[in-house]
Amino acid sequence: MDNFLRRGGLEVPEPVRRFLQGESDPSLRIEQYQEGDTLVVRVDLPGIDPETDVDISVSDDNLHIQARREEDAERMDKRGYRSELRYGERSRSIPLPRGVSQDGIIATYEDGVLEIRIRVPEQPETPTTKIRVVRTGGREANQSPEEPLT
């Protein structure tokens, strides 16, 4: 989109350019996987202070992550200013398996990546019940497949 705007010779204000490039999505992008009995959630959050700019909480069996990144007003006033970085507030809620204890959650921040490790309790396997599908072949729904059509 940016190349299209430049080739067309259009000068587009920064907020409009960001919107057109799909940067208006307020949710955080995550990577999630299970490692043994631990659910791992990773979020790229470069350029933030994890102690003041990130809020992590658990409620209603959901992990809530909220992060803020403020744009430096001094830089915005500089001549030729251009930024492709994401600023503002972003959030994400991730459903957790039943029985997760808040005591089993550890969050770390290293090299711009927030990593949340959640100990997942062992879930009992639920039995699977196979449901039989009956071919009706144009028969009425309340008619048995063995009954002849009338």
Side-chain angles (χ1 to χ4, degrees):
M1 176 63 77
D2 198 35
N3 287 338
F4 173 76
L5 296 174
R6 267 191 265 145
R7 276 186 271 146
L10 298 171
E11 278 300 315
V12 178
E14 192 72 17
V16 174
R17 183 189 63 77
R18 287 183 183 175
F19 175 77
L20 292 173
Q21 289 179 329
E23 295 180 22
S24 62
D25 182 9
S27 65
L28 292 168
R29 305 281 186 218
I30 66 164
E31 176 179 57
Q32 177 179 332
Y33 56 91
Q34 191 143 350
E35 201 171 74
D37 66 347
T38 302
L39 176 64
V40 180
V41 178
R42 295 171 46 94
V43 186
D44 278 337
L45 292 172
I48 61 145
D49 180 349
E51 294 174 3
T52 59
D53 298 337
V54 176
D55 294 317
I56 303 170
S57 62
V58 174
S59 66
D60 300 324
D61 289 331
N62 282 290
L63 174 70
H64 305 284
I65 307 167
Q66 187 171 3
R68 291 168 295 287
R69 184 173 181 186
E70 300 299 322
E71 197 163 13
D72 187 349
E74 287 181 26
R75 276 189 240 147
M76 288 175 64
D77 293 335
K78 302 264 186 207
R79 185 172 177 201
Y81 176 77
R82 176 187 169 97
S83 176
E84 294 181 0
L85 303 177
R86 293 179 130 198
Y87 293 99
E89 193 168 288
R90 307 268 188 249
S91 63
R92 185 73 180 258
S93 292
I94 301 159
L96 296 174
R98 273 187 250 153
V100 168
S101 167
Q102 292 184 19
D103 298 334
I105 300 176
I106 299 169
T108 57
Y109 182 82
E110 185 177 346
D111 296 332
V113 178
L114 173 68
E115 184 174 277
I116 304 167
R117 298 180 83 69
I118 305 158
R119 183 140 193 223
V120 178
E122 193 172 314
Q123 302 290 322
E125 281 195 37
T126 54
T128 303
T129 305
K130 185 168 173 116
I131 306 298
R132 182 173 165 246
V133 178
V134 178
R135 183 186 309 247
T136 59
R139 298 176 192 272
E140 291 184 25
N142 60 359
Q143 192 173 16
S144 166
E146 288 80 28
E147 290 180 34
L149 289 174
T150 56

